[in-house]
Amino acid sequence: SAATPPVAAAEELLRRVELALCLVRAAGEIRHLPPLAPTGDVTAVSTDCGGGGSIGGGIGVVNASGGGGGGSGSGSAGELRSLGVELYELFSGQRCPVVGEGDTDENYCNGDIDIHGATGPPEGRRRKKREKADGSGMAGIVPLSEMGLPSALCGLVSRLLRAKNHRRNGDSSSEDDRGGDYYVSSEEVEEDLELMAINPHKFLFDSPLPNADGTPELPQLDINPDTLYGREREVSRLMEIFDVTAAASATTDSGKRTRNSMVLISGYSGTGKSSLVQKAKTQYVQRGARFVSGNFDRMRQMQPLSAIVCALNEYCDLLAKDLYQVHRVRAAMSSAMGNEGRALADLIPNLRKMLDLPDFSNGEGPPACPRVWGREAQYRLAFLVRTLFRATTSGGHPCPVVLFLDNMQWADEASLDLMTALVTDSELSSLLFVGCYRENEVDPDHLLASCLNAIQQSGGADITYMHVSNLGVKDVNSLVSDALRMFPRTTLPLANVVWHKTGGNALFVVQLLGSLCDEGLLRYSLSSRSWEWDLKNIRSRDLASNVVDLMTAKLLRLDPEVHEALRIAAAFGSQCQEAVLRIVDSDPGHRCSGNRNSTAQSLDVAVSEGLMNKVDGCAYRFAHDQIQSAAYMLIPESGRGFFHLEVGRSFLRRASPEETDAYLFVVVDQLHRGSGLITTHDEKTNLARLSLIAGQKAAAISAFLPASAYLHAGIGLIVPDDWLSNRELCFDLYNLCAEIEYILGNSKSMKSHLEEILRRAVTLREKLRAYDTLIQSSGSEANTADAFATATTILLQLGEAFPSTVTLKSVQDEVTKTQKLLVMRTEEELLQLQTMTDEDKLEVMRFFMLLLIIAYTGRKELFPFVCCRMVQLSLSHGVCRESAVAFACYGLMLCGLMGDTAGGYRFGKVAVSILERFDAKELFARVFAVVHGFVFCWTEPLQSSLEPLKEAIDVGLSTGDVEFACGSAQIYLGACLATGKPLGPLMNEMRIYSKRMIELNQHLLHTMNKPLRQTTLSLLGRSANPLKLVGTEMDEDSLLENVENDNYSTLSSLIFFYKMWLEYLFGEYERASETAKKNRDVEKHHMSRFTIICNHSFYYGLTAIALARKEGRSKWVSTIQSTISKMRKWSLSTPWNCQHKLELMMAEHAYLE
């Protein structure tokens, strides 16, 4: 039989192969035995018993200098023929006729024996047939093939029986050229038998099985995509790095923190980068990892976060299917993400499987989550994704996660930012990131290169670079051998030619083999039951020089309907959804509407050809992006724009609104690729409107570059008349584009768009959004004067006069006016104020809140004025979301500027109530930072502010308000130190928040936090000189020098405060006194900051008392009385925080008296 024999017969055959292997090994060992004779030549010793060929009958053994002539490690032709006789008898069970000594070698080239396994080219077989016709063979030998033995075994015995002394006869053919046509050593025989024994199903048994009608089925190339060649070292390295990550995951709960690991694999297209990772995937999963992946697409660069969203969606699906941990993980995720998880679930559909999210689509209940956009949306997205991984990789049985992103040379900026946020997260220690990219497409100025350099310089992750090059001849031969199920020695000539044609590019090798089969240059012979090839024609054939051209030629040989389906699929990129194809097919005007099969059915043919893969049953993915490129080349270059346009039109004509929204980026991309061919105004307007929606969706997920591209494309479609007929569309496009350019830092483009808006605007309302962007831009550039000048103009037009010059008297007048309005309202009346509905006043409140932040950071003298105006508007026109900030800041002003801590506490409570009334989560962090950091601590115990401040940090990060989240962290850490939290754990917490400030680009707050961190290190004894803020965190001299140059007094005040504190604690009272005098304006610089202002007075007072004992009280009496007086006043307001300080100061003073 040509197929695999029955089990019993197969086992017996395999047993005999193993016996043959032992026989050959024994013969080899005998050949290398030293001669027994002490001197002289040793003639050939024959073990022939009666000259027969029976098993055990005899194997000729010659000495090294005798007739073998094969050199070391080889045998003579006679020896090999004798070995062939033994093996023939072993496998056939019959005696093999043996000719006498006078017969020549040629007698063994018997045609009957030769047909045991003809494996060479057709010319060789024809020559052997001629030899058979000449009658040079031996009669009476039954070919092994007629006994039903496998062709590989037949060929092996046949080659031994017709062995010749080729080298002795002067034949200089190399092993590569002879291609296994004969053996020259017993080692070669041993190697082939060993392959048969180890892998019989590949190298021993024949593969084809008969069809149902009894006809034989021709075998196909057996190329296993899961088999990797020549990458053992790389796979081993990947596993080593994974083991480090897994070990870090196991020790996370012990408090040890390690950096995440990144592996970046580079190489040319088709070298097997992705296959390398897929090979490692199996071992990752076996070791308990969750492996998820995403692939960036050259044709989907305008579809933001596509690869990462795919990976995250896969990750959530894996979590939902883990029945052992799903309940624990679901609880952890719900607790960590809260209601903000809805924002992420809109992006990652499978997240809904893990979160218990109520449906508020009917309008009942709270909103899904606060609406944020711009940089806030970017920060919120990063926070939520980090929270997702933190919640799911910690706990009782943490599982390491391997995140694989392919084709990173096409990654968009938003994806790279999110990747950076993940790999540099110091609270994640069980993430291994693996990325692949084409090194020839990534230059030093590439987005990816800049991103990786930034990560490396920050030290946020351990990066390992790996390079994957083309395969060598040996590895190509292994691939060819496996594909043809033939011995490597036999396939080496073919492998050599393939390697020279392809350069060893793995993808090119596979596709070339397929092409050779298609063209008949590589074929399977039923007569010989083995593969045959024509090396001469293959060498001379003018084959494609690259894989794309080769694949294009292959695709052209397919059915025309498959051509068309592949073109459509390629137009969408490396992957397309079956639902999209179904919608396109349903359009009667589509080019495929009359085909016999649907596009999906035609693509199934491509799947069977190995050109595409079916993904999750609902999408088609090209097996390699080079195949997608080849399919895309089937579309004539001159007609590609029209092709994309027609696909997009077909989709739009048949898609429902829900389907259009679901695949918006896809359809807009298709339409824009052919937008230059659109001639009707209505179609251009409709595409401009879709572009606006796409820009809005992209901005909502922080994909600002794609959003900018969509908006610019939309603007390019409108004409001057649209400012009259489609006015709202024009303003929305230009306004959003200006806002995106502001975020991206493209000031020139932003101003250009704003100027066009203000030129076209007729009403004030049409100008407001543009002015909002202009004020924010001025504030971010520290151009406070321009910001206030613009705001003054707008506020006046909105009916809210704002003086161009604010004096101390005008500020006092506003404060007095506000106090009079408030004194007439009880707290209950304030909480029952109506909701503000006047659109103009709502706009005024929004502009005032912008100015409030600018004033606090740049012009503190204007802060009370703006704050009072906001409170007045809330009292006269009702409260709104911004009123929570207004009352919180009013409370801060009362505590810090007027010393009215009771009033400040009252209005701080009002602020919190308004915040809860509107569920204004986007303002949560700033309101809590103000009331718990600057207001409540003047009344409540300082310890009670710690948890609310931590909540402000978390909510601020979840809503994207990173500035106030990091500000809350700064206040929180200062309060922890002031309340006596253990220094060791506190220092660890400080480092976590410090790193997060850097990651979120809050460099100013990170710098403001440096004195706090260095002070803690000094108290822990980790600085050379505890009296100076010099060490691993900062150098006070250089920092103070920079502060003077930047004229930023708040930072210098912080440095002086902590320096004075250390100097007092270490008994350097004179130095502490001098430092305190430099910080005489501490209350001005830290308006209402309790921990700084109160402790400054406390330690300055104690310093004065200590110096009075030493130098006499007259010099210090004023300072002592002043500080004790302040502490006495504060102890009445907040006895928990200040009473013990007052009593200590009084005791020290009494001792002095």
Side-chain angles (χ1 to χ4, degrees), residues 128-156:
K128 292 163 189 171
K129 288 180 180 178
R130 287 195 298 271
E131 291 173 357
K132 180 178 181 181
D134 292 340
S136 60
M138 295 183 300
I141 295 181
V142 179
L144 293 180
S145 59
E146 293 184 8
M147 301 179 189
L149 293 177
S151 59
L153 196 58
C154 297
L156 182 144

Side-chain angles (χ1 to χ4, degrees), residues 353-392:
K353 298 178 182 179
M354 296 301 300
L355 294 178
D356 185 16
L357 297 175
D359 186 8
F360 298 123
S361 58
N362 57 5
E364 299 178 2
C369 55
R371 182 187 179 277
V372 296
W373 84 282
R375 287 294 179 192
E376 288 75 15
Q378 179 185 19
Y379 293 135
R380 178 174 72 175
L381 177 63
F383 173 79
L384 291 175
V385 173
R386 280 173 156 179
T387 302
L388 168 65
F389 278 102
R390 289 174 189 167
T392 55

Side-chain angles (χ1 to χ4, degrees), residues 487-505:
F487 299 128
R489 182 180 47 77
T490 307
T491 58
L492 185 58
L494 175 61
N496 266 317
V497 176
V498 170
W499 182 80
H500 282 293
K501 292 281 185 181
T502 63
N505 183 278

Side-chain angles (χ1 to χ4, degrees), residues 571-630:
F572 289 106
S574 63
Q575 180 172 314
C576 59
Q577 298 293 321
E578 187 173 354
V580 174
L581 299 175
R582 192 166 51 248
I583 294 169
V584 173
D585 279 350
S586 67
D587 179 30
H590 181 56
R591 63 179 66 223
C592 291
S593 59
N595 289 351
R596 299 187 311 274
N597 298 318
S598 68
T599 302
Q601 289 172 328
S602 297
L603 290 181
D604 287 336
V605 176
V607 172
S608 67
E609 292 285 335
L611 301 172
M612 301 192 81
N613 299 315
K614 197 75 177 287
V615 185
D616 298 329
C618 61
Y620 291 91
R621 179 186 296 165
F622 282 94
H624 195 278
D625 60 89
Q626 293 286 55
I627 300 177
Q628 184 270 335
S629 298

Side-chain angles (χ1 to χ4, degrees), residues 190 207 752 778 969 1059:
E190 179 182 344
S207 57
S752 173
S778 298
K1059 184 176 172 65

